[in-house]
Amino acid sequence: MAKRTQENITLGSGKAYIAEYDASKGIPSTDELCKEENLLGHIQGGAELSYTAEPHEEKDDLGLVSKVVVTNEEAILKLGLLTWNGNTLSKLADRCKVTEAEGLRTIHIGGSGNAQGKEWVVCFRHEDKKDGSLWIIIRGTNQAGLTLTYAVDAATKIEPEFKALAQDDNGTLVTLIEETGV
């Protein structure tokens, strides 16, 4: 098993997996989540995780004492999905209903009657047999909506942005797991 150290250079993309979040079970293990039936789609352009924190500082008028605390934080996982279908869209748009009949899949997007109210567990898995794999796991929903561009010279790629919600009682937004080989 490979081991990730401070000397590793992480290159390459990975795969994105998704499963409906079940509050009674919590966040599933990587083995439970990273299964073929949970593959969200193949990725083009990689993935991007951003974490931002908003500090608040209180200090006296003379600047002799101060205290800084984080009052707000946000984590977003962006993906570039090259492969997708109507069932993928139902995981990216809350107000999306998919039906299948007579060899056709019909996707209804928008409308309060199509609201699902679901949250998702999303995992980006970067496999590296030499330097060690890593997994990024968040609980959240897509906040970027959908844009489907059909062009003669480019694939129709969807770029969801999953905004992280708290995963546990500590308010954890992101779980990043590294293979250590130990």
Side-chain angles (χ1 to χ4, degrees):
M1 183 183 297
K3 181 177 180 179
R4 294 188 58 80
T5 69
Q6 290 181 337
E7 301 299 316
N8 294 122
I9 297 172
T10 304
L11 291 174
S13 187
K15 293 182 178 179
Y17 299 89
I18 192 167
E20 186 175 346
Y21 176 70
D22 182 340
S24 67
K25 295 180 181 176
I27 302 296
S29 71
T30 57
D31 287 340
E32 292 173 300
L33 190 53
C34 298
K35 298 188 287 192
E36 193 62 31
E37 61 262 26
N38 293 335
L39 184 68
L40 183 58
H42 292 281
I43 294 177
Q44 182 183 60
E48 177 183 311
L49 174 69
S50 64
Y51 170 81
T52 55
E54 185 179 307
H56 174 75
E57 181 178 17
E58 288 290 338
K59 61 183 175 179
D60 73 305
D61 291 343
L62 300 176
L64 300 174
V65 294
S66 68
K67 184 172 187 173
V68 178
V69 296
V70 172
T71 57
N72 191 25
E73 58 187 349
E74 179 179 84
I76 295 177
L77 179 61
K78 297 179 185 179
L79 304 168
L81 297 177
L82 181 63
T83 61
W84 56 272
N85 64 24
N87 292 322
T88 310
L89 299 180
S90 71
K91 296 169 178 75
L92 304 180
D94 177 61
R95 292 179 170 195
C96 184
K97 178 181 170 186
V98 178
T99 57
E100 293 190 31
E102 300 176 17
L104 297 175
R105 179 181 297 129
T106 304
I107 301 97
H108 297 273
I109 301 172
S112 61
N114 292 324
Q116 303 172 70
K118 295 181 180 179
E119 294 175 359
W120 303 95
V121 178
V122 182
C123 179
F124 174 75
R125 180 180 182 183
H126 170 78
E127 293 185 71
D128 188 328
K129 292 181 195 280
K130 181 181 178 217
D131 292 334
S133 298
L134 65 85
W135 298 259
I136 297 169
I137 301 170
I138 69 162
R139 169 186 159 218
T141 58
N142 175 32
Q143 302 289 303
L146 299 169
T147 300
L148 304 175
T149 303
Y150 296 87
V152 70
D153 61 346
T156 302
K157 184 170 76 170
I158 301 173
E159 299 179 322
E161 297 180 10
F162 288 90
K163 184 174 180 181
L165 301 169
Q167 297 180 13
D168 55 27
D169 292 338
N170 291 327
T172 302
L173 295 178
V174 178
T175 299
L176 195 147
I177 301 168
E178 292 183 307
E179 198 170 38
T180 62
V182 184

